[in-house]
Amino acid sequence: VIKCKAAVAWEAGKPLSLEDVEVAPPKAHEVRIKIVATAVCHTDAYTLSGADPEGCFPVILGHEGAGIVESVGEGVTKVKPGDTVIPLYIPQCGECKFCKNPKTNLCQKIRITQGKGLMPDGTSRFTCKGKQIYHFMGTSTFSEYTVVADISVAKIDAAAPLDKVCLLGCGISTGYGAAVNTAKVEPGSTCAVFGLGGVGLAVIMGCKIAGASRIIGIDLNKEKYAKAKEFGATECISPQDFKKPIQEVLVEMTDGGVDYSFECIGNVGVMRAALEACHKGWGVSVIVGVAAAGQEISTRPFQLVTGRTWKGTAFGGWKSVDSVPKLVTDYMSKKIKVDEFVTHTLPFDKINEAFELMHTGK
């Protein structure tokens, strides 16, 4: 058993608490990882807020991490101690019907136990003050050591800087993949990206790499525009600057609508606007943001009858074990940006400050 520091969420709506925790050794087909760097994501904040129906407490959150394999359980063949890895919240077992289908990346092998905050055998590897602590998204990267299933880990280039590539564990991969895998943006197309946080910037990067000629960024926070343009946005607008709904503004700006739109916020009203901003006959709108539990999307069916397509994406459609190492390689060879997404680097004990920075849009 390893004793180390972890940020524990004891209950919903309270700040994380830095605690000494015990991390049990890995069982069969499990891997224990020394986490070197982790990022914060709105999904962590969503669960912490208490709005997540799958949220269970006390829990160690975090799902954008990178580290070094410390030890492996029986039967683990893909990684060994000392390997540099990224934990994966969407695993890839290679055996289920989802893994065998090229149309999806949603491996279901450990979905049920992962959703309950437990390892595949139905137990936890974390204890604190004599209490069992739940796992989160199969990764729990807000701990100096974590245990994950062996199908939930990608071995990456040992030379990669872990304080940067940890972002490929969720946000950057999700946005970039939404553009290149889910939407399959084509050269010369016009795109609209709603929400210019980390995921939205990654979508813009994907649209630009795919050859889009016009990329319109939409956000209420104008301080985000300069960064969006650095990533490839050709222009940025705020819905507050117009008297009419933003979808009408975009349809006018683009002679009938955009070819591709992306909702990167998790707001069902914006999801509707993103679909209705698409061009009749061929426009495709991709939902990337995760809306709160119980919310529903709506539009007039005529929007779809007249040739628009509504799609969704999880982790950008990447088959995780296969794709994450390639994304790291693309970053190392400067094909994709990662460093530019990092705004602040804080010590682990300032994790609550990191959440505050995220909530204020900084």
Side-chain angles (χ1 to χ4, degrees), residues 3 20 40 120 186 199 239 305 311 318 341 345 358:
K3 290 192 167 127
D20 291 307
V40 296
E186 296 152 323
V199 174
V305 172
K311 301 181 91 166
W318 301 106
F341 286 87
T345 304
M358 180 170 66

Side-chain angles (χ1 to χ4, degrees), residues 176-247:
Y176 178 51
V180 300
N181 296 332
T182 309
K184 297 186 168 61
V185 171
E186 296 152 323
S189 49
T190 298
C191 302
V193 181
F194 292 78
L196 302 176
V199 174
L201 294 176
V203 170
I204 290 172
M205 175 174 78
C207 292
K208 186 182 179 185
I209 289 171
S213 58
R214 193 172 177 193
I215 304 168
I216 305 163
I218 301 119
D219 202 298
L220 298 173
N221 182 352
K222 295 187 178 180
E223 286 174 16
K224 298 196 168 185
Y225 294 177
K227 197 79 163 168
K229 286 177 179 167
E230 243 175 78
F231 277 86
T234 52
E235 62 222 280
C236 294
I237 56 174
S238 167
Q240 287 174 333
D241 290 345
F242 302 93
K243 296 244 178 348
K244 57 179 78 165
I246 194 67
Q247 53 267 52

Side-chain angles (χ1 to χ4, degrees), residues 20-338:
D20 291 307
V21 299
E22 293 86 41
V23 184
K27 293 189 183 178
H29 294 288
E30 295 177 3
V31 179
R32 186 160 61 180
I33 303 166
K34 179 186 198 320
I35 297 290
V36 175
T38 186
V40 296
C41 172
H42 274 282
T43 312
D44 303 305
Y46 167 62
T47 298
L48 186 58
S49 74
D52 180 356
E54 271 199 351
C56 25
F57 296 89
V59 63
I60 295 172
L61 299 170
H63 63 283
E64 283 186 335
I68 311 290
V69 174
E70 177 271 333
S71 59
V72 299
E74 195 187 324
V76 175
T77 55
K78 298 262 177 76
V79 294
K80 62 186 187 304
D83 283 351
T84 305
V85 293
I86 289 177
L88 308 166
Y89 72 90
I90 292 184
Q92 187 187 349
C93 72
E95 294 163 0
C96 70
K97 67 179 179 183
F98 289 80
C99 281
K100 286 181 171 167
N101 190 323
K103 294 178 181 175
T104 185
N105 61 332
L106 296 174
C107 172
Q108 296 295 295
K109 182 83 180 271
I110 59 173
R111 178 75 198 95
I112 291 172
T113 48
Q114 181 171 314
K116 290 177 179 165
L118 300 166
M119 293 300 288
D121 72 345
T123 63
S124 167
R125 300 291 162 270
F126 297 119
T127 48
C128 180
K129 298 178 179 170
K131 283 188 186 159
Q132 169 185 286
I133 308 290
Y134 287 107
H135 293 251
F136 178 67
M137 289 174 74
T139 52
S140 289
T141 59
F142 293 172
S143 174
E144 290 176 332
Y145 286 86
T146 190
V147 179
V148 304
D150 63 354
I151 57 171
S152 303
V153 64
K155 183 183 172 181
I156 61 160
D157 183 345
L162 300 186
D163 61 328
K164 305 293 194 295
V165 295
C166 61
L167 291 169
L168 293 169
C170 178
I172 297 178
S173 304
T174 297
Y176 178 51
V180 300
N181 296 332
T182 309
K184 297 186 168 61
V185 171
E186 296 152 323
S189 49
T190 298
C191 302
V193 181
F194 292 78
L196 302 176
V199 174
L201 294 176
V203 170
I204 290 172
M205 175 174 78
C207 292
K208 186 182 179 185
I209 289 171
S213 58
R214 193 172 177 193
I215 304 168
I216 305 163
I218 301 119
D219 202 298
L220 298 173
N221 182 352
K222 295 187 178 180
E223 286 174 16
K224 298 196 168 185
Y225 294 177
K227 197 79 163 168
K229 286 177 179 167
E230 243 175 78
F231 277 86
T234 52
E235 62 222 280
C236 294
I237 56 174
S238 167
Q240 287 174 333
D241 290 345
F242 302 93
K243 296 244 178 348
K244 57 179 78 165
I246 194 67
Q247 53 267 52
E248 289 179 27
V249 173
L250 286 160
V251 167
E252 280 176 21
M253 279 173 67
T254 57
D255 184 28
V258 300
D259 302 312
Y260 300 97
S261 70
F262 301 86
E263 199 280 354
C264 308
I265 302 160
N267 177 312
V268 291
V270 178
M271 290 172 190
R272 177 173 191 159
L275 176 79
E276 295 178 358
C278 283
H279 202 288
K280 184 188 288 189
W282 63 77
V284 174
S285 185
V286 181
I287 294 174
V288 194
V290 177
Q295 296 196 326
E296 297 181 351
I297 47 172
S298 61
T299 189
R300 290 182 303 118
F302 194 67
Q303 292 283 335
L304 301 174
V305 172
T306 49
R308 295 170 193 81
T309 303
W310 222 341
K311 301 181 91 166
T313 188
F315 195 53
W318 301 106
K319 297 244 186 208
S320 59
V321 174
D322 292 343
S323 305
V324 169
K326 292 176 186 159
L327 289 165
V328 171
T329 303
D330 284 350
Y331 156 65
M332 299 294 275
S333 58
K334 298 197 161 47
K335 281 186 193 154
I336 60 171
K337 291 178 156 80
V338 174

